[in-house]
Amino acid sequence: MTLEDLVRLRRARDLMDRDYAEPLDVPALARVALMSPGHFSRSFRAAFGESPYSYLMTRRIERAKALLRRGDLTVTEVCFAVGCTSLGSFSSRFTELVGESPSSYRARRHDAGAAIPACVAKVYTRPVRNGEAGSNSPLIV
């Protein structure tokens, strides 16, 4: 993979980070990276250790956790606020990555993490599917 490919892949990843609540699909992301959808998906996985869909859903779940901790939105409102269109799929993915349902997560207290700087908390609270990210993951510090 060339440096130019990595720059284009990062551009697409940055788009997912910034516009996570927008409807994004592989063909649209591949256009941003100036690649075919198949090549983009393979290259993204090789560069970042997970599929574009998995990366996007992880970003959405991270944002959902923050919104649920605030406690002023319902689970359904959070689901749609982070760009998911199906409450069932959102709840299933949230439970898979976080280990508890969105309702349970919203209902419990989150005071213990209040004193931790957001940049540190993000690293340690990043949702990760069982065994998906290994020690060589670029997202783990």
Side-chain angles (χ1 to χ4, degrees):
M1 186 174 314
T2 67
L3 181 59
E4 186 176 309
D5 287 341
L6 289 172
V7 168
R8 292 191 305 231
L9 289 168
R10 194 159 178 195
R11 190 176 305 133
R13 188 184 70 176
D14 290 347
L15 176 70
M16 286 188 267
D17 288 340
R18 185 179 57 251
D19 295 339
Y20 63 89
E22 299 299 318
L24 297 171
D25 58 13
V26 169
L29 294 167
R31 282 191 298 277
V32 169
L34 305 175
M35 297 177 177
S36 71
H39 182 65
F40 171 75
S41 291
R42 287 186 301 277
S43 298
F44 191 94
R45 181 182 291 278
F48 301 115
E50 60 186 324
S51 71
Y53 175 77
S54 181
Y55 183 86
L56 178 60
M57 285 306 294
T58 301
R59 294 292 79 68
R60 288 177 172 171
I61 298 302
E62 279 179 350
R63 273 45 172 218
K65 286 175 65 178
L67 292 173
L68 290 168
R69 281 192 300 270
R70 287 187 358 203
D72 59 343
L73 297 175
T74 66
V75 171
T76 302
E77 289 170 330
V78 169
C79 167
F80 293 120
V82 299
C84 295
T85 56
S86 163
L87 182 59
S89 296
F90 167 75
S91 294
S92 295
R93 185 66 173 213
F94 189 97
T95 302
E96 176 187 353
L97 292 174
V98 178
E100 64 183 310
S101 72
S103 299
S104 298
Y105 186 83
R106 182 180 183 271
R108 71 176 168 83
R109 297 182 58 92
H110 299 279
D111 299 345
I116 301 171
C119 59
V120 174
K122 182 178 178 183
V123 171
Y124 290 101
T125 62
R126 181 178 185 268
V128 178
R129 186 180 310 135
N130 295 337
E132 184 174 273
S135 60
N136 63 350
S137 172
L139 300 175
I140 296 178
V141 180

